[in-house]
Amino acid sequence: MSDSDPVNPQALRRGLSRIWHAAVISVNGFRAGWREAAFREEVVCAIVMIPAAFWVGRSWVEIALLIATVVLVLIVELLNSAIVRA
């Protein structure tokens, strides 16, 4: 590998090819996360909590914050799974 070779081959892709490869990588990440019991439990909780946010929230801001919190927990769990696997 020479100095001119990019570290990330994704940087060379353009257009739909880049979007396609990014989507495939994301799906592979979700599949890897799904193998973790904690992530599956949090997804089940999210299925309950996201609709509950519409019932509990008094304004669209509160609803958005409640949903964002649930999504943030899922993201952090995926990051944790990635770190454990590395």
Side-chain angles (χ1 to χ4, degrees):
M1 200 157 130
S2 68
D3 291 337
S4 63
D5 291 338
V7 175
N8 181 3
Q10 180 75 355
L12 296 176
R13 294 187 176 100
R14 298 285 181 249
L16 291 177
S17 174
R18 184 180 181 120
I19 293 171
W20 174 255
H21 283 88
V24 169
I25 291 168
S26 295
V27 168
N28 289 338
F30 281 116
R31 284 183 182 159
W34 191 253
R35 292 185 200 118
E36 297 288 331
F39 181 71
R40 289 192 305 267
E41 291 170 2
E42 289 168 0
V43 167
V44 169
C45 288
I47 290 170
V48 173
M49 289 187 289
I50 289 176
F54 290 95
W55 182 60
V56 173
R58 294 183 191 141
S59 67
W60 286 105
V61 174
E62 287 183 8
I63 293 169
L65 288 172
L66 289 167
I67 292 172
T69 303
V70 172
V71 171
L72 182 64
V73 167
L74 294 173
I75 290 170
V76 169
E77 185 58 43
L78 284 173
L79 288 171
N80 181 46
S81 297
I83 291 169
V84 168
R85 287 204 179 254

